[in-house]
Amino acid sequence: MSLLELIGRADERALAAGAVACLERCLPLLAGPETEPLRPLWASCENGREWAIRLAAVRTEMEQPSVSDGPAALVRAMLGAAPSDFAAGPLREWADACSLVALRVHGRFDAPDGGVPADEEDLLKAARSGEPAAVGPLVAGELERQVRILEILAETTGTAGSGAGLRKALDLSTEGRRVLRAVMSRRARGRS
């Protein structure tokens, strides 16, 4: 099943966790290696309890680092766009947007100069639809993580293992975060 189909079929829990997972993997752009500012949102993904309160707290905490443009600004904007209502409609729209932003961010690090490929929109549309697309290794890895997370969450919805599904989603996101941090570190060393 394609990423877009998985997003289209996901419930509130999977949509919220999928979107938070995308932001989690992009955190190296906004936060240090030892910080975990999105943890409160992960705690609300299971049933939406205290979602709006925790979202407000995370937004306040994440306002501290100043970001004006580039990939970090895209990630910050997605956090700002998170819906306060834990409902399928707004969460689906947000999850879709977070998915696209995470893929775009990873695409910037696939490009040697950090630029935007001229055909980025078409490539990402094809990749998210399940069609073959000539994307770079970071985008391919990010796409695979997004699909796997939504599959895990769909498999565990309404089961006794639903909490374990969220834990696996967080673990995959933490792994993706490490990958992006390593790429950023390598790129920074190459510039100096």
Side-chain angles (χ1 to χ4, degrees):
M1 193 174 302
S2 76
L3 176 60
L4 292 178
E5 290 171 319
L6 288 166
I7 291 171
R9 294 180 180 191
D11 64 2
E12 291 91 343
R13 171 181 162 269
L15 292 167
V20 172
C22 287
L23 293 175
E24 181 82 34
R25 289 187 300 278
C26 294
L27 270 181
L29 296 166
L30 298 174
E34 303 304 317
T35 62
E36 299 197 15
L38 300 179
R39 282 298 167 130
L41 287 181
W42 281 105
S44 287
C45 285
E46 181 65 36
N47 54 20
R49 188 173 296 129
E50 298 183 4
W51 173 262
I53 294 166
R54 291 176 176 174
L55 177 60
V58 168
R59 282 179 177 151
T60 299
E61 182 177 345
M62 295 298 292
E63 283 176 0
Q64 303 313 320
S66 177
V67 177
S68 58
D69 60 1
L74 293 173
V75 175
R76 172 70 55 74
M78 282 300 93
L79 180 59
S84 296
D85 293 334
F86 197 81
L91 286 170
R92 191 172 323 285
E93 187 177 317
W94 183 54
D96 184 61
C98 286
S99 163
L100 191 55
V101 164
L103 291 168
R104 284 183 174 146
V105 165
H106 283 75
R108 297 301 189 314
F109 288 97
D110 267 337
D113 62 354
V116 179
D119 58 350
E120 177 188 56
E121 199 68 35
D122 293 334
L123 286 174
L124 294 182
K125 183 178 179 181
R128 294 173 80 221
S129 298
E131 300 170 20
V135 295
L138 289 174
V139 171
E142 173 61 15
L143 181 66
E144 185 178 320
R145 275 186 285 280
Q146 288 184 26
V147 167
R148 187 67 193 124
I149 284 170
L150 289 173
E151 288 173 343
I152 288 168
L153 294 168
E155 291 166 5
T156 59
T157 293
T159 68
S162 65
L166 283 171
R167 181 67 213 179
K168 287 179 184 177
L170 176 58
D171 290 345
L172 278 170
S173 293
T174 301
E175 171 195 326
R177 188 165 117 177
R178 284 189 207 115
V179 168
L180 187 59
R181 187 172 306 288
V183 169
M184 290 173 62
S185 178
R186 245 179 283 139
R187 187 168 279 188
R189 281 194 307 268
R191 289 183 185 155
S192 46

